[in-house]
């Protein structure tokens, strides 16, 4: 403030007493002051506590578009001077445009962001052009809108789960954040997927943005080795709209030994003649461990539960079914041979590592010519020897007769057409 003081001096001749009196009276007279007063904001009528047209305490949505005229400041100057209001602190966000000597519009020149600043301190400078530059501090507030979707943390999501993991086990925990406040930042999760009945979602309502996947049922590597769970995170915001995000949890199932062998090529049916020799392979059976990721070797055996087991056997490694003893009339017809495949695994109970199959073996009676007869070789040899002996005897007899009855020999020789003389 500038004050100008004028005092009129008393002049003239006076005596000392009068002079002192005059000085006393002058001291009692009020000063006469001439001042140019500073501008100030106009009070808003009816407010208690008092408020002014200075924008203080106003609230603005963070999605207020840049370029919006936020407010009209109103100031007054008792001297009637033209008032200029400019921005000191806060000039990054706000700009003033004078309308007239008292009204000034405030324009937003940079987007507000509740997540960055929930309030802005602003200093206006009021100036009346007479060296009265008045600072005026206010605060405005930014209000939240739902402008941030939930964001999953620590992606990507994948987990390995043994198929032996019991149901109700928590297999994965995840989280998401939402930068908005209140309901705008409150996250709800849902899960979906082809095999979603195997899983369920669990979360603590007191902890926002965190949840777990729990097994509803045990997984089975032999049924499916990979599951994909779609996780959706949705906030509760409505202004201007609800927002959500998606993620996928990949569940890889790890195999354990929990499946017995299975047979390949069933049903097994064999037709053979009862002439089939011992040691002959009549068929081959094959089984594989049902646990496919790291399968056990499989051995074969027959079950001693039928007549067929008496005549047939199976090789333990190759699964070849062979005739183990000579077939006879007892085995003619339809027979069932039970074979068992057993995994080589000392840690499993027999029931868990073995499987059975039935081989249907029909033994047919051989045709006559196909039937190998008794061994006549010795009899034939004996017969031949006997015949030769007889021939020799006859020849010898003939020679004797020839020597004894030489005239009869030509007839005998002619009749038999045999000339012993030529031979011997
Ligand atoms: Ca949100
Ligand atoms: Ca927000
Ligand atoms: Ca197995
Ligand atoms: Ca398995």
């Amino acid at each position: 403030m500038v004050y100008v003081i004028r005092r009129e001096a008393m002049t003239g001749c006076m005596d000392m007493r009068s002079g002192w009196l005059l000085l006393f009276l002058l001291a009692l007279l009020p000063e006469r002051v001439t001042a140019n007063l500073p501008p100030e904001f106009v009070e808003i009528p009816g407010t208690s506590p008092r408020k002014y047209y200075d924008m203080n305490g106003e609230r603005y949505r963070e999605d207020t578009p840049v370029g919006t005229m936020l407010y009209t400041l109103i100031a007054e100057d008792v001297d009637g001077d033209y008032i200029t209001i400019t921005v000191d602190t806060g000039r990054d966000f706000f700009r003033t445009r004078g309308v007239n000597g008292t009204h000034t519009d405030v324009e937003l020149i940079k987007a507000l962001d509740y997540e960055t600043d929930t309030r802005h301190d602003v200093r206006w400078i009021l100036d009346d052009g007479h060296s009265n530059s008045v600072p005026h501090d206010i605060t405005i507030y930014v209000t939240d809108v739902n402008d941030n979707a939930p964001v999953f943390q620590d992606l990507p999501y994948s987990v390995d789960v043994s198929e032996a993991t019991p149901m109700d086990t928590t297999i994965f925990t995840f989280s998401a954040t939402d930068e908005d406040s209140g309901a705008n930042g409150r996250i709800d999760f849902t899960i979906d997927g082809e095999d979603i009945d195997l899983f369920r979602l669990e979360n603590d309502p007191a902890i926002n943005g965190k949840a777990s996947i729990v097994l509803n049922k045990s997984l089975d590597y032999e049924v499916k080795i990979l599951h994909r769970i779609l996780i959706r995170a949705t906030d509760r915001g409505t202004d201007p709209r609800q927002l959500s995000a998606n993620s996928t949890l990949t569940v890889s199932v790890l195999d354990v030994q929990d499946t017995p062998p299975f047979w390949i090529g069933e049903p097994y049916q064999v037709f053979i003649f009862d002439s089939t020799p011992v040691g002959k392979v009549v068929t081959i059976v094959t089984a594989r461990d049902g646990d496919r990721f790291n399968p056990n070797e499989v051995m074969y055996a027959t079950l001693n539960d039928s007549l067929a087991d008496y005549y047939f056997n199976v090789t333990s490694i190759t699964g070849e079914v062979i005739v183990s003893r000579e077939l006879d009339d007892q085995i003619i017809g339809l027979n069932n041979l039970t074979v068992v495949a057993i995994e080589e695994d000392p840690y499993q109970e027999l029931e868990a590592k073995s499987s059975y199959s039935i081989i249907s073996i029909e033994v047919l009676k051989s045709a006559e010519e196909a039937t190998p007869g008794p061994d006549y070789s010795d009899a034939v040899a004996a017969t031949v020897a006997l015949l030769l002996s007889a021939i020799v005897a006859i020849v010898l007899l003939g020679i004797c007769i020839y020597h004894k009855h030489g005239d009869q020999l030509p007839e005998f020789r002619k009749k038999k057409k045999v000339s012993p003389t030529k031979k011997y």
Side-chain angles (χ1 to χ4, degrees):
M1 278 185 206
V2 178
Y3 294 91
V4 180
I5 304 173
R6 298 189 187 94
R7 294 184 180 178
E8 295 179 358
M10 298 294 293
T11 57
C13 183
M14 60 185 68
D15 56 20
M16 185 62 71
R17 186 174 175 182
S18 298
W20 282 110
L21 180 61
L22 181 61
L23 286 174
F24 176 74
L25 290 173
L26 277 174
L28 292 178
L29 284 173
E31 292 182 343
R32 185 177 174 189
V33 178
T34 301
N36 185 299
L37 296 175
E40 59 187 11
F41 283 103
V42 173
E43 183 181 339
I44 300 173
T47 54
S48 179
R50 291 179 178 177
K51 295 183 71 176
Y52 301 87
Y53 290 108
D54 60 357
M55 199 177 166
N56 187 36
E58 293 295 321
R59 296 175 177 276
Y60 297 96
R61 292 167 57 96
E62 60 176 324
D63 61 350
T64 304
V66 171
T68 299
M69 292 299 175
L70 296 176
Y71 195 86
T72 299
L73 304 167
I74 305 174
E76 62 183 353
D77 186 286
V78 293
D79 306 306
D81 295 324
Y82 191 101
I83 303 166
T84 302
I85 302 176
T86 55
V87 189
D88 181 15
T89 305
R91 66 171 69 88
D92 290 347
F93 285 89
F94 310 104
R95 180 167 62 195
T96 53
R97 289 183 177 180
V99 176
N100 52 41
T102 55
H103 290 59
T104 300
D105 287 340
V106 178
E107 180 188 4
L108 181 68
I109 60 173
K110 181 180 176 183
L112 302 172
D113 183 14
Y114 179 87
E115 284 69 44
T116 306
D117 292 303
T118 60
R119 51 179 282 174
H120 290 273
D121 295 323
V122 181
R123 170 168 287 184
W124 308 121
I125 304 294
L126 297 82
D127 198 303
D128 64 355
H130 288 281
S131 301
N132 287 320
S133 185
V134 183
H136 185 91
D137 293 326
I138 64 148
T139 299
I140 66 104
Y141 298 92
V142 182
T143 58
D144 189 29
V145 300
N146 193 30
D147 61 342
N148 291 283
V151 177
F152 284 100
Q153 304 296 300
D154 304 318
L155 290 170
Y157 292 159
S158 64
V159 63
D160 295 338
V161 180
S162 165
E163 63 176 330
T165 306
M167 59 183 290
D168 296 326
T169 300
T170 297
I171 60 168
F172 192 73
T173 298
F174 59 93
S175 63
T177 58
D178 188 308
E179 292 189 17
D180 297 316
S181 299
N184 290 338
R186 183 75 194 181
I187 300 172
D188 295 312
F189 294 108
T190 56
I191 57 173
D192 202 357
E194 191 177 333
D195 320 300
I196 204 60
D197 59 315
L198 296 173
F199 309 96
R200 68 174 183 271
L201 189 73
E202 285 189 358
N203 62 330
D204 182 352
I207 304 174
N208 185 38
K210 191 173 182 181
S212 298
I213 302 291
V214 180
L215 282 186
N216 254 352
K217 305 172 183 174
S218 289
L219 304 179
D220 189 343
Y221 181 91
E222 282 66 44
V223 174
K224 197 168 184 180
I225 63 174
L226 205 67
H227 301 277
R228 288 192 172 85
I229 303 172
L230 174 67
I231 306 173
R232 174 177 284 254
T234 307
D235 64 26
R236 295 183 185 177
T238 56
D239 181 14
R241 65 187 180 281
Q242 195 171 39
L243 298 172
S244 62
N246 294 326
S247 178
T248 301
L249 169 64
T250 302
V251 180
S252 300
V253 185
L254 303 181
D255 192 19
V256 299
Q257 277 294 340
D258 65 347
T259 309
F262 65 95
W263 294 93
I264 299 171
E266 285 184 311
Y268 298 121
Q269 289 181 308
V270 177
F271 299 91
I272 58 171
F273 287 109
D274 61 351
S275 58
T276 305
V278 174
K280 175 77 174 177
V281 175
V282 297
T283 190
I284 299 175
V285 293
T286 305
R288 297 275 185 270
D289 184 2
D291 297 298
R292 290 169 290 164
F293 184 74
N294 191 18
N296 287 325
E297 292 293 326
V298 171
M299 306 286 282
Y300 304 95
T302 57
L303 209 61
N304 183 19
D305 65 344
S306 67
L307 183 64
D309 179 63
Y310 182 70
Y311 290 93
F312 299 95
N313 209 341
V314 62
T315 56
S316 63
I317 296 176
T318 63
E320 293 173 325
V321 179
I322 60 175
V323 179
S324 59
R325 70 179 63 235
E326 191 171 313
L327 303 178
D328 54 25
D329 287 349
Q330 196 178 208
I331 194 67
I332 298 293
L334 191 59
N335 299 272
N336 284 334
L337 177 67
T338 305
V339 285
V340 55
I342 307 170
E343 295 175 32
E344 289 188 279
D345 186 343
Y347 303 106
Q348 292 189 82
E349 297 293 329
L350 181 63
E351 194 168 319
K353 63 177 181 180
S354 58
S355 295
Y356 298 87
S357 185
I358 302 292
I359 306 174
S360 171
I361 302 176
E362 182 153 15
V363 182
L364 307 170
K365 188 73 176 170
S366 300
E368 194 66 33
E369 58 277 16
T371 306
D375 189 353
Y376 295 115
S377 55
D378 292 343
V380 170
T383 303
V384 170
L386 187 62
L387 285 173
L388 286 174
S389 300
I391 291 171
V392 170
I394 290 170
V395 169
L396 290 174
L397 181 61
I399 293 171
C400 291
I401 293 173
Y402 175 75
H403 286 290
K404 192 172 180 179
H405 309 287
D407 55 332
Q408 296 178 358
L409 185 62
E411 290 180 7
F412 173 81
R413 190 171 58 237
K414 191 183 292 181
K415 187 179 180 181
K416 293 293 180 182
K417 294 183 180 176
V418 173
S419 176
T421 54
K422 286 184 180 176
K423 193 170 182 180
Y424 294 97

